[in-house]
Amino acid sequence: MKKLFICLTDFQILNALNLQVNNENNEDADIFFVTNKQGNEELAARLQATKIFKNVYLFNNSKISGLHRYFRNLTEKKYKNSFISAFTESAREVFYKICSKIYGLEYKVNKKVIFGKEIDFSIYDRIFCLDKRQIVVDVVNAVKKKTNGKCKISLLDEGTSTYWRSILETHFPIDDIYLYQPNLANYYYDKNWCERFKVIPKIDWKDQKFRKIINYVFEFVELEKNGNKLLEVKNKIIFFDQNWDPMPKYFDHLPSALRFLLHKPYKKHKKESRFYDAKMEMFRIVANNCLNNEVMVKLHPRSPDDFVEDYKISECSMAKNLKVPWEVFMDNCSFKNNIWITVSSTALCTYKTAFCNHLEDIPMVFLYKIVYKDKMDFREDDEFFEKFQSRYPGSVFLPKTVEEFQEIYAKLVTKMSQRQ
């Protein structure tokens, strides 16, 4: 029997590598992840080459270029594919869904595995995953069916939302959960969970072996160019992007018939665009009040490259390795005289939670109380981040208003300028 890691993000892949290399007792393991960003096929090949996992499976969950995409392209005057090819792709997808209903979960999953051989769902006695997408539920249920329900399920840290109580609401029973700092979880004192926490070993800046592995897997090559010395990130104000989408331009001039057909996507984009616009408003404050210090933007790994254009309206630079998870970047860098700012990105928290012997206590500003206000219920966020702030009171800031943020930011930037 063996383990299966089901990963939806690069950070989960990193944590799977961490557990397999540094914590688990040489048990065979496979890894399954999805095509949620460009370059994942090459990533799968590099993972396979490390031989850390016996099998690497990549599932194609990319959006099809069917009729919906065809009509969207027409409104944007992008003539990328013909009506016939779009109709054919939509028809294939309908056929796939019908066959999935007939032949079951094994067909549904294996039919879209584009890297790796056919999965044998009967060989796993343990799965690491998070119940955040239907594909995860499908794989878990396929395994449980083939193993008569005897497979153990462990939740695997994917970031700050893994510390919310809502992560425990799953479509399958959970045996335990692996976190970097379990005592920060909102459900840490829940009597049903207090004995089911497992600790992921922290990443050590001195561990050259693990750094070499993750640099190869995620194709981080800057360290080799620097003579294998840690890269120095000095005197930087870094804004961490989160990948909400702006309102697509094609909705501006939709004919009434298409507006009716696309009303669901419109509602979804309208909700997301409110967060996007609020985030960019906060970024303009950062860029416009930096006292001539360098402002750098770290795009979310799944953010499209065209986000760069919006950021570059203001004076800023873009962090290199845009598709590399920030934790890999952090493992290769030393930070001096930085300020880190975000709405609620996990990337800031992991500097303190996922690493040991960090080199500098970086001031971090989280803007979720401003951006999320009147848009969503953020009580779970509040509970975690206020606990996080109490753990690191001198360096974690949670402003409630734009005015408070501007005041905090002005003081931090002034101190930054004085230290140079």
Side-chain angles (χ1 to χ4, degrees), residues 188-403:
Y188 181 68
Y189 293 105
D190 187 324
K191 63 181 180 180
N192 295 318
W193 281 93
C194 58
E195 295 182 359
R196 290 199 274 173
F197 289 105
K198 306 293 182 183
V199 180
I200 303 175
K202 289 193 174 186
I203 301 168
D204 190 339
W205 266 286
K206 298 177 183 178
D207 188 344
Q208 298 286 349
K209 176 186 173 184
F210 188 64
R211 179 179 293 124
K212 186 175 181 180
I213 290 170
I214 62 175
N215 283 358
Y216 171 73
V217 167
F218 294 103
E219 207 172 24
F220 188 94
V221 298
E222 267 67 21
L223 200 67
E224 295 177 13
K225 296 177 182 177
N226 201 44
N228 288 320
K229 296 179 181 178
L230 289 181
L231 307 173
E232 186 178 75
V233 181
K234 188 175 181 180
N235 303 329
K236 296 283 194 299
I237 301 168
I238 306 179
F239 188 88
F240 291 78
D241 172 61
Q242 289 175 263
N243 66 330
W244 299 296
D245 290 332
M247 180 62 77
K249 294 180 180 178
Y250 75 92
F251 277 114
D252 292 342
H253 307 290
L254 273 183
S256 56
L258 285 180
R259 188 178 294 276
F260 174 76
L261 289 173
L262 302 177
H263 70 282
K264 286 186 177 179
Y266 175 77
K267 287 176 66 176
K268 174 183 176 292
H269 285 301
K270 185 176 181 180
K271 181 179 179 181
E272 278 213 6
S273 67
R274 293 173 67 208
F275 292 108
Y276 180 89
D277 293 341
K279 172 195 71 175
M280 294 308 299
E281 182 182 344
M282 294 300 99
F283 173 71
R284 301 300 176 210
I285 293 173
V286 171
N288 295 337
N289 299 276
C290 62
L291 297 184
N292 295 319
N293 291 291
E294 182 181 355
V295 175
M296 184 169 75
V297 176
K298 172 63 174 79
L299 278 189
H300 189 282
R302 295 192 302 277
S303 289
D305 292 342
D306 55 14
F307 276 25
V308 172
E309 296 178 17
D310 204 355
Y311 278 110
K312 294 292 283 185
I313 292 172
S314 299
E315 185 69 28
C316 67
S317 62
M318 306 302 296
K320 296 179 180 179
N321 299 96
L322 299 185
K323 302 304 180 186
V324 171
W326 184 248
E327 291 74 22
V328 174
F329 193 89
M330 281 193 286
D331 193 42
N332 286 275
C333 296
S334 65
F335 300 96
K336 296 181 180 179
N337 199 24
N338 277 210
I339 302 170
W340 291 0
I341 302 171
T342 188
V343 176
S344 60
S345 174
T346 291
L348 282 70
C349 299
T350 51
Y351 179 75
K352 296 180 182 294
T353 60
F355 286 83
C356 59
N357 56 45
H358 59 270
L359 306 178
E360 180 169 309
D361 201 15
I362 301 169
M364 302 176 176
V365 184
F366 295 88
L367 302 169
Y368 69 94
K369 290 177 187 279
I370 301 170
V371 172
Y372 294 165
K373 186 178 180 181
D374 301 325
K375 300 181 184 69
M376 62 177 281
D377 182 348
F378 57 88
R379 284 176 291 183
E380 281 261 58
D381 307 64
D382 240 0
E383 187 174 349
F384 171 82
F385 283 112
E386 289 185 0
K387 193 183 299 182
F388 185 66
Q389 184 186 46
S390 67
R391 180 73 60 86
Y392 308 102
S395 58
V396 174
F397 302 91
L398 311 175
K400 296 179 181 178
T401 65
V402 173
E403 293 74 22

Side-chain angles (χ1 to χ4, degrees), residues 1-3 20 24-29 52 125-126:
M1 302 293 279
K2 63 166 62 171
K3 299 173 295 187
Q20 196 60 18
E24 296 295 312
N25 51 4
N26 295 320
E27 294 176 347
D28 285 350
I52 292 170
D125 60 357
R126 192 175 188 187

Side-chain angles (χ1 to χ4, degrees), residues 93-148:
E93 186 68 10
V94 170
F95 180 76
Y96 162 75
K97 289 180 178 179
I98 293 172
C99 288
S100 296
K101 292 286 187 182
I102 297 172
Y103 299 115
L105 291 176
E106 291 182 61
Y107 173 93
K108 183 179 181 181
V109 176
N110 275 321
K111 194 64 177 177
K112 286 201 172 185
V113 170
I114 59 174
F115 186 98
K117 58 187 180 181
E118 188 172 280
I119 303 171
D120 181 355
F121 296 95
S122 68
I123 63 175
Y124 301 110
D125 60 357
R126 192 175 188 187
I127 293 177
F128 292 82
C129 66
L130 281 185
D131 182 3
K132 281 197 167 185
R133 294 288 184 274
Q134 185 60 46
I135 181 58
V136 177
V137 179
D138 290 342
V139 174
V140 169
N141 285 336
V143 172
K144 290 183 74 66
K145 181 179 179 181
K146 296 293 287 188
T147 60
N148 295 317

